Amino acid sequence: MTAYRLTPDSDISSFASSDITRPNLMGIHYRPEGVLEATNGHFAVRVPLANSVAHPAAAGATSPTSPMTFQASAVAAAVKALPKGDALTRSAALDDGNPPLAISSTGHTALPTTVDGGAFPNVPQVILTGEPAASIGLSLDYLKQIVTYLAKHHPEGKRGMVRLDLYPDRDGKDPGKVSPLAPVVFRAPVGEDRREAQVLLMPMRL
């Protein structure tokens, strides 16, 4: 049977909802094909789990074979407790149990499941498949700088909205197609008088 590992990137608790009226969104959902998911109803994240092959604590470990939702705080605690070391050492085998356990070389952390209050959303069903209309590469560092600036100066702060504009090729050969090399433009109001700031970000070649 397959065993998966929790790694530092398994902590996706910041994507889970904190709304107590939506208990089914307050946890981190596990799918037996080795995927963790979290959503607050506005955004969602899916992260594949690492395989436990050759993990020192994985001997005899078998990951759950049914979908379940872990308490988000428990997953965060398990990741925080990961031992230091190389990529393999700094992980924990996910073992089925009641409750499931995250087993590392230095101990284990229980992963209690939540009372869903309803089925966890079918995130894969929401994600579109097939050929995308466009694929654009953007720098995470530059995105962070843009978001930090706009969140600081937007009249509504971090709750404000930013508009993202994508443009076709300048040569006009295919006006209906988004260019993966054209600047991406972020537009948002800044200041109390809501002046429009425009931030251009050049894409990166994929």
Side-chain angles (χ1 to χ4, degrees):
M1 300 295 289
T2 302
Y4 298 105
R5 287 184 288 134
L6 292 184
T7 50
D9 52 82
S10 299
D11 182 9
I12 54 175
S13 55
S14 61
F15 289 86
S17 177
S18 58
D19 184 353
I20 60 174
T21 67
R22 308 184 75 182
N24 59 315
L25 304 185
M26 294 182 69
I28 293 178
H29 192 65
Y30 164 82
R31 291 186 180 273
E33 59 267 32
V35 176
L36 293 181
E37 302 171 334
T39 180
N40 66 358
H42 298 283
F43 52 53
V45 61
R46 302 187 82 230
V47 179
L49 288 164
N51 196 289
S52 279
V53 173
H55 188 274
T62 302
S63 294
T65 56
S66 299
M68 59 185 63
T69 303
F70 302 128
Q71 292 180 9
S73 58
V75 175
V79 169
K80 186 176 181 180
L82 292 176
K84 298 186 183 302
D86 58 28
L88 185 61
T89 303
R90 197 178 181 203
S91 62
L94 178 58
D95 189 34
D96 201 2
N98 188 19
L101 300 174
I103 305 174
S104 72
S105 57
T106 57
H108 67 269
T109 304
L111 298 172
T113 55
T114 67
V115 178
D116 276 346
F120 192 85
N122 190 346
V123 176
Q125 194 174 53
V126 179
I127 298 175
L128 298 177
T129 58
E131 191 69 22
S135 295
I136 298 174
L138 300 174
S139 162
L140 286 173
D141 184 39
Y142 293 154
L143 283 173
K144 180 180 178 181
Q145 292 182 53
I146 293 170
V147 171
T148 299
Y149 171 82
L150 294 178
K152 180 178 179 179
H153 298 289
H154 196 290
E156 283 82 51
K158 291 188 293 185
R159 295 186 177 276
M161 185 181 72
V162 60
R163 194 177 93 193
L164 179 62
D165 290 338
L166 307 175
Y167 291 93
D169 290 309
R170 289 186 180 275
D171 57 19
K173 292 181 179 178
D174 193 350
K177 185 177 181 179
V178 173
S179 170
L181 299 179
V184 174
V185 182
F186 298 81
R187 303 178 192 271
V190 295
E192 294 181 359
D193 53 351
R194 304 183 72 86
R195 287 163 283 116
E196 184 186 83
Q198 302 176 9
V199 185
L200 279 67
L201 177 59
M202 293 302 297
M204 304 171 67
R205 290 187 179 275
L206 294 172

